[in-house]
Amino acid sequence: MQTAFLKLVAADIQQRFGNDLSEIAIVFNNKRPITYLKKHLAEVYGQAIWSPQFFTIQEFFKLSTNDAEASPLGQFFQLFKIHNELLAAEGKEPETLEEFYPIAEIILSDFGQLDYDLVPIDQLYMELYDNTKIDIAFQHLTQEQQGFIRQFWQSFSIAGHSGVQERFLQLWKRLPILYTKFKETLKAAGQTNYPTIYRDLVESKATLQDFTSSFKQILFVGFNALNRAEAKLFRQWQEEGKALFYFDADSYYLDDNMQEAGLFIRRNIFQTGLVNALGSSPNIIGNRTSTVNLYASTGKISQTKLLYDILEKQNNKEQTSAILLADENLLVPLLQSLPDVNPNITTGYPLTQSLFMVYWIYGWKCI
């Protein structure tokens, strides 16, 4: 039985669409899996076929507009200019580049998140100085969340604001205008950014709203956490019969609400209503009987030398090897020490930052 996720996807594509995939769009969250799916499609078909079109999610959504993508630096200068114009209109001194740059990064990030999650701008930046306004505006939140927001705003409601508090409140009132003028300035210049593209698609404001009609079917592969805009568009396209979704899920964590690994996929399937094209999820993790071996090593470089011996003994051309490298600084010596294998290497998650190590330091070690 095939268990590799992308192999299952390739086999399902062949069964559903046959040899002509020229009008099929396959969308991933990033570029890396594209290479692997191409390899598996070649293995499954074993002959020349019309290739599907591959996109990242941002590349795919970009097809909905003819506007040019504004560079991060260009967005900063646009925001800086508009902000100082608003300050001048309020009779205040303009800010310098050095003063505005740190907060500009936060503002642009917040504007982007608001668009991705389709948050009403005016409602978010309203003045909330009393409990009644909080109760009305945020009644959908839990009592704990409402209490946090109430405590936050009460700290700015006391008499005699400090200079920092006063500046924060003035900026807070200015943000809705800044957001609107920033979007209008980009649009007038024939420019856009990805958060705007997402929001325009959901609100039917995209220049090429029907861009999906040029594809016979759209396959979204391997998505996990979806923002609100993606969830709404995916559900809409599924109802229109345009989209299929392939989720890399295992019943071990999908059916157990206590398993955090399945949080977003459960939300996608059970709340958003997206259907996994692969059908019911197998219980691969729960049925696994793998052997775990521990090896002693005297130093970091010696780890890579030891790994050579392990892979050389277990080398099997029909099996794949995954290497989780805790210290990414060892990547170069590791690549220089590998035998003739094609492993999948993941870096950047030191053991000292894991919950296991934190518990060992503050839990077991103290017992």
Side-chain angles (χ1 to χ4, degrees), residues 151-223:
Q151 182 181 12
F152 171 79
W153 278 107
Q154 283 177 345
S155 68
F156 289 96
S157 300
I158 59 177
H161 294 150
S162 69
V164 175
Q165 289 176 324
E166 188 63 34
R167 184 185 176 198
F168 175 85
L169 289 174
Q170 292 172 356
L171 174 62
W172 188 268
K173 295 177 183 178
R174 198 180 302 129
L175 284 176
I177 304 173
L178 185 61
Y179 173 91
T180 302
K181 287 186 175 294
F182 174 67
K183 292 300 183 71
E184 291 174 349
T185 302
L186 287 181
K187 189 65 177 178
Q191 297 180 328
T192 189
N193 55 21
Y194 284 114
T196 303
I197 293 173
Y198 276 61
R199 191 164 198 141
D200 284 350
L201 268 173
V202 174
E203 297 178 353
S204 300
K205 297 178 181 177
T207 309
L208 307 173
Q209 190 73 29
D210 62 343
F211 76 102
T212 57
S213 61
S214 58
F215 302 104
K216 180 180 178 181
Q217 197 80 51
I218 308 163
L219 314 183
F220 294 91
V221 181
F223 282 79

Side-chain angles (χ1 to χ4, degrees), residues 28-278:
F28 287 94
N29 199 42
N30 56 69
K31 288 183 176 295
R32 187 179 184 185
I34 294 177
T35 301
Y36 290 95
L37 183 57
K38 287 181 177 179
K39 174 178 176 294
H40 293 313
L41 284 173
E43 293 173 351
V44 167
Y45 279 93
Q47 64 182 32
I49 60 170
W50 289 108
S51 174
Q53 301 178 57
F54 295 92
F55 303 92
T56 65
I57 185 65
Q58 291 187 333
E59 290 172 344
F60 183 71
F61 281 5
K62 181 67 171 61
L63 299 176
S64 67
T65 180
N66 292 323
D67 292 339
E69 180 187 354
S71 68
L73 192 60
Q75 293 183 63
F76 163 72
F77 280 108
Q78 292 279 18
L79 195 70
F80 175 68
K81 179 182 177 183
I82 298 169
H83 184 259
N84 276 346
E85 288 175 351
L86 293 177
L87 286 177
E90 296 172 9
K92 297 182 175 64
E93 291 292 325
E95 294 188 357
T96 64
L97 286 170
E98 293 79 5
E99 292 173 327
F100 186 66
Y101 185 79
I103 196 172
E105 290 187 302
I106 299 174
I107 292 173
L108 287 173
S109 176
D110 287 347
F111 283 176
Q113 197 60 49
L114 296 176
D115 284 341
Y116 286 136
D117 286 326
L118 308 177
V119 177
I121 304 303
D122 294 334
Q123 186 180 45
L124 180 73
Y125 290 122
M126 69 195 317
E127 295 181 44
L128 299 172
Y129 292 107
D130 57 66
N131 293 344
T132 303
K133 289 184 179 180
I134 292 176
D135 292 338
I136 294 174
F138 297 103
Q139 56 186 317
H140 60 286
L141 300 181
T142 64
Q143 290 184 354
E144 182 181 2
Q145 291 171 325
Q146 291 182 16
F148 174 81
I149 295 174
R150 189 177 295 110
Q151 182 181 12
F152 171 79
W153 278 107
Q154 283 177 345
S155 68
F156 289 96
S157 300
I158 59 177
H161 294 150
S162 69
V164 175
Q165 289 176 324
E166 188 63 34
R167 184 185 176 198
F168 175 85
L169 289 174
Q170 292 172 356
L171 174 62
W172 188 268
K173 295 177 183 178
R174 198 180 302 129
L175 284 176
I177 304 173
L178 185 61
Y179 173 91
T180 302
K181 287 186 175 294
F182 174 67
K183 292 300 183 71
E184 291 174 349
T185 302
L186 287 181
K187 189 65 177 178
Q191 297 180 328
T192 189
N193 55 21
Y194 284 114
T196 303
I197 293 173
Y198 276 61
R199 191 164 198 141
D200 284 350
L201 268 173
V202 174
E203 297 178 353
S204 300
K205 297 178 181 177
T207 309
L208 307 173
Q209 190 73 29
D210 62 343
F211 76 102
T212 57
S213 61
S214 58
F215 302 104
K216 180 180 178 181
Q217 197 80 51
I218 308 163
L219 314 183
F220 294 91
V221 181
F223 282 79
N224 188 25
L226 303 178
N227 57 50
R228 187 171 294 181
E230 289 171 338
K232 190 166 185 177
L233 288 169
F234 288 0
R235 177 64 182 270
Q236 174 187 329
W237 291 334
Q238 177 180 264
E239 292 174 351
E240 295 172 354
K242 295 179 179 179
L244 291 175
F245 301 92
Y246 293 86
F247 295 113
D248 186 6
D250 192 289
S251 62
Y252 177 81
Y253 56 78
L254 184 63
D255 298 338
D256 185 355
N257 292 334
M258 297 301 294
Q259 292 286 350
E260 294 181 359
L263 173 64
F264 294 111
I265 296 182
R266 285 195 296 269
R267 184 179 299 170
N268 297 338
I269 295 176
F270 302 130
Q271 296 182 23
T272 306
L274 303 180
V275 179
N276 191 350
L278 294 177

Side-chain angles (χ1 to χ4, degrees), residues 221-353:
V221 181
F223 282 79
N224 188 25
L226 303 178
N227 57 50
R228 187 171 294 181
E230 289 171 338
K232 190 166 185 177
L233 288 169
F234 288 0
R235 177 64 182 270
Q236 174 187 329
W237 291 334
Q238 177 180 264
E239 292 174 351
E240 295 172 354
K242 295 179 179 179
L244 291 175
F245 301 92
Y246 293 86
F247 295 113
D248 186 6
D250 192 289
S251 62
Y252 177 81
Y253 56 78
L254 184 63
D255 298 338
D256 185 355
N257 292 334
M258 297 301 294
Q259 292 286 350
E260 294 181 359
L263 173 64
F264 294 111
I265 296 182
R266 285 195 296 269
R267 184 179 299 170
N268 297 338
I269 295 176
F270 302 130
Q271 296 182 23
T272 306
L274 303 180
V275 179
N276 191 350
L278 294 177
S280 59
S281 302
N283 189 17
I284 298 172
I285 297 177
N287 296 328
R288 179 171 292 171
T289 57
S290 304
T291 301
V292 177
N293 298 309
L294 301 178
Y295 299 90
S297 176
T298 56
K300 291 185 176 182
I301 300 300
S302 62
Q303 294 177 26
T304 63
K305 306 302 180 184
L306 179 62
L307 188 59
Y308 175 90
D309 296 331
I310 297 171
L311 292 176
E312 186 68 21
K313 291 178 182 178
Q314 301 179 354
N315 190 9
N316 187 335
K317 297 297 183 181
E318 296 182 358
Q319 293 183 346
T320 57
S321 299
I323 300 175
L324 276 66
L325 197 59
D327 185 355
E328 58 188 19
N329 294 321
L330 294 178
L331 180 59
V332 174
L334 172 66
L335 294 177
Q336 294 173 342
S337 304
L338 286 178
D340 185 17
V341 295
N342 296 310
N344 187 333
I345 301 176
T346 300
T347 66
Y349 188 67
L351 181 62
T352 54
Q353 296 181 10

